[in-house]
Every structure is written in structure tokens, then in C-alpha cells.
Amino acid sequence: MKDGLFITFEGADGCGKTTQITLLNEYFNKAGKKTLLTREPGAGILGAKIRELLLNYDGEVSPNCESFLFLADRAQHVEGMIKPALEEGTIVLCDRYTDSTLAYQGYGRELDMERIKYLNNLATSGLKPDLTIVFDVDIETSLSRVGGSKDRMESAGVDFFNRVRRGYLEIAKQEPDRVKIIDSSDTIENVHRKVIELVENL
Ligand code: TYD
């Protein structure tokens, strides 16, 4: 049983979600609410080591190995940080969660979706967000925001990112109550306003 609120931020690299999660965190803090602002991969000490492996390793990584590393990071994150925070009534804002694995490893790397759903469920003990916001922007804009120095995931190519983007839109169609899409080609202020509207509706 959880008392807090669990909100996840999703979208392709360079979609602007990190700016928006910071703004929402400030919004809650100004209202006197306790929050945990966290991210995947890479929260906690073990998470930071897994993140380093995932993003900076320059050898071949099989899609299955990549998936298991993201899932291992998630399992530790849920047990060690997210669940305890929710149990004490904190609002948890998480930059990427299970839908990233569905979009990137499922749609992007074209792994079996049902298997990823099963593994996500195993890694999280079934913990689902109350609200997931997908920040949608065309691939040209998102890759130009990422800029010149790309990590291993960001170097995956335009076709990969088009599949990831389509994947997120598909996920939102499948779970319309939980997953909401915001067009993030709009200004930072307008996108923030839309985020607040979604959160106030919760
Ligand atoms: P990060 O630098 O945190 O990117 P961003 O700021 O866009 O979130 O790198 C995380 C990368 O890992 C990003 O390219 C998405 C990818 N990723 C997956 O492929 N699967 C996952 O399950 C997660 C959590 C992230």
C-alpha cells in the first residue's frame, strides 16, 4: 500500500522532460509538499555504477544484457528508494521508469513486448505510477537538443528513435488513464502549465 503519489516523466532523449520535472518539483516544494526527485538509470550508489556501464561502455552490448541492466537498476531503485518514500507519503517524481524499457528495448531494440512487460513487473513488484507524462517532440528537434557529444543510447540512430517515439504513442493508447502525452515543441512555460493541469487533475 502506498500513501504518496508516484509520477513518471517519459520521452525520447532531448524531449525536455528533465527541465519539466525540475519545474514540477519546485512547484510542489513551494506548496510545502515533500518530494523525491529521482531518475533511471542511476539513482543511488549501485545505480550510478550501472548507469556508467549502460551509457559509457564502448564495446558491444546485447539487447538482452542492456535490458537486464536497466531492470537491475530499477529493482534496486524501487526497493531502496521509491517504495520507502511512497510509504511515508512523499511525492515521487521519477525521470524515466518502466515505459522507457518498453519504448527503448521493446519498440527501439525490437525485443518481445510481453517479455519486457513481465520483467518490468518482476523488477518493480508490480508498482505502477499514478501518472505518466510522455513529452512528445519530433526526432529532429530532440536529437538537435541532445547536441554533439552522444552517449551509447543517443548514438543509436534516427530509425531507432522513430521506433521509440512511436512506441511511446502506442503505450499511451494502450493505457490512456495512466499515460498522458504533452506536445513538448511548445515553450517551456506552456508545457509546464500543461503538466500542472494534469497533476491537479489527479
Ligand atoms: P539519460 O542521460 O538519463 O537520458 P535522458 O536525459 O534522455 O533521460 O540516459 C538514459 C538513457 O537510457 C536514455 O537514452 C534512455 C535509455 N533508457 C533505456 O533505453 N531503457 C530504460 O529502461 C531506461 C530507464 C533508459
Side-chain angles (χ1 to χ4, degrees), residues 91-146:
I91 298 171
V92 176
L93 303 177
C94 190
D95 193 336
R96 298 194 180 282
Y97 189 60
T98 46
D99 298 306
S100 280
T101 318
L102 278 175
Y104 279 76
Q105 280 65 52
Y107 288 92
R109 302 279 191 226
E110 301 180 298
L111 295 183
D112 183 80
M113 299 300 293
E114 288 311 310
R115 213 165 58 162
I116 296 210
K117 284 183 189 167
Y118 172 80
L119 292 170
N120 261 335
N121 201 38
L122 198 69
T124 61
S125 314
L127 178 70
K128 285 204 163 204
D130 299 294
L131 170 68
T132 296
I133 308 176
V134 172
F135 295 84
D136 184 54
V137 72
D138 65 85
I139 300 305
E140 290 69 28
T141 307
S142 68
L143 288 180
S144 73
R145 284 182 187 165
V146 165

Side-chain angles (χ1 to χ4, degrees), residues 11-14 17-18 39-41 51 55 66 70 74 95-97 100-101 104-105 151 153-154 161:
D13 297 71
K17 66 185 166 41
T18 308
R39 68 166 178 180
E40 291 190 2
R51 180 186 172 87
L55 301 185
E66 181 180 278
F70 282 115
R74 181 161 307 131
D95 193 336
R96 298 194 180 282
Y97 189 60
S100 280
T101 318
Y104 279 76
Q105 280 65 52
D151 64 35
M153 295 303 298
E154 288 160 356
F161 280 105

